Amino acid sequence: MGGSGSQAEIVMCSREAVRRQIFPGMKLSEAKAVCSELLFKEYDRQLYALAQKKLSYELIACSPKVSALEPGIFLLDASGLQHLGGERKFCRSVQKVVNRAGFPDVHLGVADTAFAATVASRFKRRQYFIVAPGEDASFLAPLPIRY
């Protein structure tokens, strides 16, 4: 969680918390109302910044362009994949790098735009979801606004 008092909000949460309908961005008071046995820790900015930086360096092995969007969310340039075995191979390579770095819970999205790729990474909680080239708009259109 980040912040304090009535302004405290969930920054990150475990898979178990998500299963119990707790999501990043929720106020801590709302999360406690949903799950009374909620365990929470203060957000350690330095710890997460260090982990983010370390993982960024590891991901360069998969793509020469790596950007950290927010804690735990990275954008990788995946252009030219057809010459390197395609999107599925790319996803498996990224998963291996992230797992070796000590992060077992990885979800990937591949799309033409960063926004669609970010949504695809959260789609149905699959390990990876690939949006066909040129199909970002049709992929996003039927999804609920919460995405």
Side-chain angles (χ1 to χ4, degrees):
M1 70 167 211
S4 60
S6 62
Q7 297 304 311
E9 72 176 40
I10 305 298
V11 176
M12 294 179 186
C13 53
S14 67
R15 282 185 274 184
E16 178 63 24
V18 171
R19 278 194 286 271
R20 292 175 178 241
Q21 302 302 305
I22 296 170
F23 302 99
M26 252 182 151
K27 296 287 184 202
L28 181 58
S29 56
E30 294 171 334
K32 284 182 175 180
V34 171
C35 180
S36 61
E37 64 270 11
L38 177 70
L39 299 175
F40 59 92
K41 294 181 180 181
E42 201 59 45
Y43 181 69
D44 186 339
R45 243 177 245 297
Q46 279 187 306
L47 176 67
Y48 286 109
L50 185 61
Q52 187 96 339
K53 188 175 185 179
K54 178 186 171 203
L55 190 52
S56 292
Y57 289 135
E58 297 290 331
L59 288 169
I60 290 173
C62 300
S63 172
K65 293 181 185 176
V66 177
S67 301
L69 186 62
E70 60 186 65
I73 306 290
F74 295 89
L75 299 175
L76 283 72
D77 182 0
S79 57
L81 290 178
Q82 65 275 16
H83 304 294
L84 300 171
E87 287 127 345
R88 283 177 178 37
K89 183 177 180 192
F90 173 75
C91 289
R92 287 191 298 272
S93 296
V94 171
Q95 286 174 320
K96 285 178 188 174
V97 167
V98 173
N99 290 158
R100 266 185 277 150
F103 301 96
D105 189 23
V106 58
H107 299 275
L108 305 166
V110 177
D112 291 338
T113 63
F115 178 74
T118 303
V119 172
S121 72
R122 296 174 178 152
F123 192 63
K124 295 188 179 180
R125 300 303 297 164
R126 295 181 185 179
Q127 287 195 335
Y128 63 85
F129 189 89
I130 299 168
V131 178
E135 297 295 321
D136 285 12
S138 10
F139 163 69
L140 294 169
L143 296 178
I145 195 69
R146 71 183 167 95
Y147 282 104

